């Protein structure tokens, strides 16, 4: 069986990208990274890809007159590299219809909260702390045109501790993200994920 070909979209630090690379290199994830797309030229994600000999391209929003044209450029690259599954691993832009429709049901995202709580922004950990919840966590979900609202594949709860700061809480959530995202990709690669309406059924996992 051919390995699932991943297209990873990352914007910055790229620690989730690194977690995927590590799992693949360890032999525990039957997938390969066909392409990394980064929307910021100086991002550490690009260095990580280069270090592991992974093809990466920079596609910046500002180089295209419209968001639609920007997304078409990304879709062209993903298709040219035979990408089966698009993984948003710390991608800081909301995807529009050009991208979401081109890869319908084949785009996943990692979000640092237990959705539907604290969705729709880039400050989910700070929002959880400020709200005062005792438990937060992370979610891997399919991407639809509605932000952070697609069918949920996996979630992991993380307690909020009395002395937590945004930094300590974020770090504890991030450690779980690094396990959850590769695990979701593994389930998809093994054909164990079925979308049934709003729900995702996990087969024999
Ligand atoms: C992660 O917390 C992820 O959940 C969020 O952005 C952060 C990206 O971190 N979407 P990294 O770039 O993977 O290190």
């Amino acid at each position: 069986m051919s390995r699932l070909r991943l297209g990873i979209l990352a914007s910055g630090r790229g620690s989730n990208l690194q977690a995927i690379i590590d799992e693949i290199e360890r032999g525990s994830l039957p997938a390969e990274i066909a392409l990394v797309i980064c929307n910021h030229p100086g991002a550490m994600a690009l260095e990580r890809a280069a270090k592991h000999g992974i093809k990466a391209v920079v596609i910046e929003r500002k180089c295209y007159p419209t968001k639609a044209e920007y997304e078409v450029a990304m879709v062209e690259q993903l298709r040219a590299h035979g990408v089966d599954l698009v993984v948003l691993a710390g991608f800081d832009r909301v995807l529009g219809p050009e991208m979401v429709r081109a890869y319908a049901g084949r785009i996943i995202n990692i979000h640092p909260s237990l959705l539907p709580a604290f969705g729709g922004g880039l400050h989910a950990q700070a929002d959880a702390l400020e709200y005062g919840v005792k438990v937060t966590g992370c979610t891997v979900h399919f991407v639809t045109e509605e932000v952070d609202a697609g069918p949920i594949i996996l979630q992991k709860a993380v307690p909020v501790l009395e002395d937590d700061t945004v930094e300590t809480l974020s770090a504890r959530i991030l450690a779980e993200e690094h396990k959850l995202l590769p695990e979701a990709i593994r389930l998809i690669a093994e054909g164990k994920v079925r979308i049934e309406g709003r729900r995702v059924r996990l087969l024999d996992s």
Side-chain angles (χ1 to χ4, degrees):
M1 205 173 73
S2 64
R3 290 154 73 81
L4 191 73
R5 291 177 65 79
L6 308 176
I8 313 276
L9 271 55
S11 297
R13 182 177 56 184
S15 69
N16 278 288
L17 166 65
Q18 188 68 53
I20 297 166
I21 294 170
D22 292 345
E23 285 301 300
I24 291 173
E25 291 188 350
R26 219 172 270 143
S28 41
L29 186 52
E32 62 188 286
I33 302 177
L35 181 68
V36 169
I37 297 180
C38 192
N39 57 339
H40 299 300
M44 205 197 299
L46 290 167
E47 289 170 38
R48 295 183 193 268
K51 193 170 165 210
H52 293 266
I54 295 166
K55 171 90 190 276
V57 292
V58 175
I59 306 182
E60 289 181 90
R61 171 64 184 89
K62 69 173 187 204
C63 296
Y64 298 86
T66 64
K67 178 171 175 172
E69 286 163 277
Y70 165 63
E71 295 204 349
V72 166
M74 288 201 286
V75 169
E76 280 172 1
Q77 280 291 323
L78 293 166
R79 287 194 172 138
H81 289 81
V83 165
D84 304 306
L85 181 72
V86 178
V87 180
L88 308 188
F91 191 61
D92 64 6
R93 294 195 62 89
V94 171
L95 296 185
E98 277 69 24
M99 182 76 159
V100 173
R101 289 179 197 167
Y103 273 89
R106 296 187 296 149
I107 309 175
I108 64 173
N109 179 48
I110 177 90
H111 184 80
S113 74
L114 292 177
L115 291 173
F118 311 117
L122 294 172
H123 311 285
Q125 303 96 328
D127 293 347
L129 202 56
E130 190 178 323
Y131 194 92
V133 291
K134 300 296 187 193
V135 178
T136 181
C138 48
T139 301
V140 182
H141 64 94
F142 283 105
V143 172
T144 58
E145 287 179 50
E146 202 184 334
V147 179
D148 291 334
I152 290 169
I153 306 166
L154 292 173
Q155 292 187 299
K156 178 73 182 182
V158 172
V160 179
L161 305 182
E162 291 302 323
D163 297 334
D164 262 337
T165 61
V166 176
E167 288 71 31
T168 59
L169 179 60
S170 299
R172 207 163 338 98
I173 295 171
L174 192 64
E176 296 301 335
E177 293 182 40
H178 294 163
K179 294 182 248 173
L180 206 68
L181 185 56
E183 173 64 6
I185 297 168
R186 187 183 65 76
L187 290 170
I188 292 170
E190 292 175 348
K192 292 179 175 166
V193 174
R194 294 264 184 286
I195 304 176
E196 297 180 356
R198 251 225 65 80
R199 296 187 66 183
V200 169
R201 185 177 296 276
L202 301 179
L203 311 166
D204 308 323
S205 62

